Amino acid sequence: MNNEGPAANDGLHLIPFRGLRYVPERVGSLAAVTSPPYDVVVRPDGLLHLESADPHNIVRLILPQATTAQARHKQAAETLTRWLADGILAADPEPALYVYEQRRGDILQRGVIGALALSEPSEGVVLPHEDVMPDIVADRAALMRTTAANLEPLLLTYRSMGNGSGATAVIERTVLRPALLATTTEDGFSHRLWSVTDPADLAEIHADLSDRQALIADGHHRWATYLRLRAEHPSNGPWNYGLVLLIDTARYPLRVRAIHRLLHRLPVSEALAALTGSFRVQRLEVPLPEALEALADAAAEGNAFLLAGDGAFHLVDRPDPELLSRTVRADRPEAWRTLDATVLHSTLLDDIWRIPDTPDHIAYIHDTEAVVTQAELRGGTAVLMHPVREEVVRDLAREGVTMPRKSTSFGPKPATGLVLRSLALD
């Protein structure tokens, strides 16, 4: 293998599948039926916006709305069946891998979408870097089980030697051809998709990936869901594979952003009062961009956070070393023990603020302005985080050490709705 892992393995095995895609003539526009990944659409107004964009928006499948979980999943399955019968969605005529491109300004990301053979973390083929919540896995599993479909690809990364051979060569030849589809979503990203069916191209991709190791950049709960459903279907069939987008970050580096916390029931004043003697706290009367710069400077020296929600920003840094030694697990690598997310959960949330990690108490929000606004509107506390470097994430994953959940946000994330995988067709 090109990357060392915790166990010997056979590398990445990506196979073609007959993609389900929207029929352009049957929808208002491709942009109007796409969505961010399900876990990014966290606000009710965002869900309503997507639902109203087009009656066939993909959120009706990935986030169906009903009074019970069982009813939601049944509704999604019935909607998928109806859209197929009505010709809203149609299967491509032959199995393919799909080259996918996202572009906005100087951001360019290209990769390959396919059905990836599933493996346990101990096998060292696909490495998770975050923990998952069992209730979310159970919900996603019920949705996939009921619809018999992979509705959105996970985002996985690997690193080549960066010389433009193998899968990268196929990608860069393919993008010179006319695309199957092209659209621009309201976030300004343009999206293009091509099918790869030529046996020589498929063989070149297969050979290149056969000794690679991948990191889960986005989609830990869905990967855990794939593994649960594979265990329920032990025969060597379609449930042994899951829909993924593979990105070579040596060629197309991803951006790593932080995921912020919104503490619903903790006012900023109480949060700050509880930190006396444990952290240094500085009030910043500056705009958000300057406050984030101050956070970045402080994070370069050690653990640092920004608290917001009362109209100002509060830089929290320089934790008491004795407090950290008492609250942070000592049986983990130094790189894990010094993560901001580790200190946030072990020291601040668990020990000082005593806040349980449940949806009633904590929301995880990607957008910085949104989490500040929500905190101010609701009288809670926004905890702004500084992003972790990709190398730290990958190194810990290779050691088999998972980070606290929602520690990182890799992007850009693939748009949901451009290509789906039906397990009934494989």
Side-chain angles (χ1 to χ4, degrees), residues 277-279 318-328 347 351:
S278 300
F279 286 78
R318 299 187 184 180
D320 175 18
E322 291 187 7
L323 173 67
L324 295 184
S325 65
R326 178 173 60 80
T327 57
V328 176
T347 305
D351 188 77

Side-chain angles (χ1 to χ4, degrees), residues 158 160-173 204-205 208-209 212 248 251:
Y158 68 97
S160 72
M161 300 301 292
N163 56 11
S165 61
T168 298
V170 175
I171 289 170
E172 294 181 2
R173 289 198 302 268
E204 190 170 354
I205 293 172
D208 184 29
L209 297 179
R212 302 286 183 199
D248 175 9
R251 195 74 171 183

Side-chain angles (χ1 to χ4, degrees), residues 263-277:
L263 311 181
H264 298 299
R265 303 181 183 181
L266 181 67
V268 175
S269 58
E270 293 182 17
L272 295 173
L275 299 179
T276 302

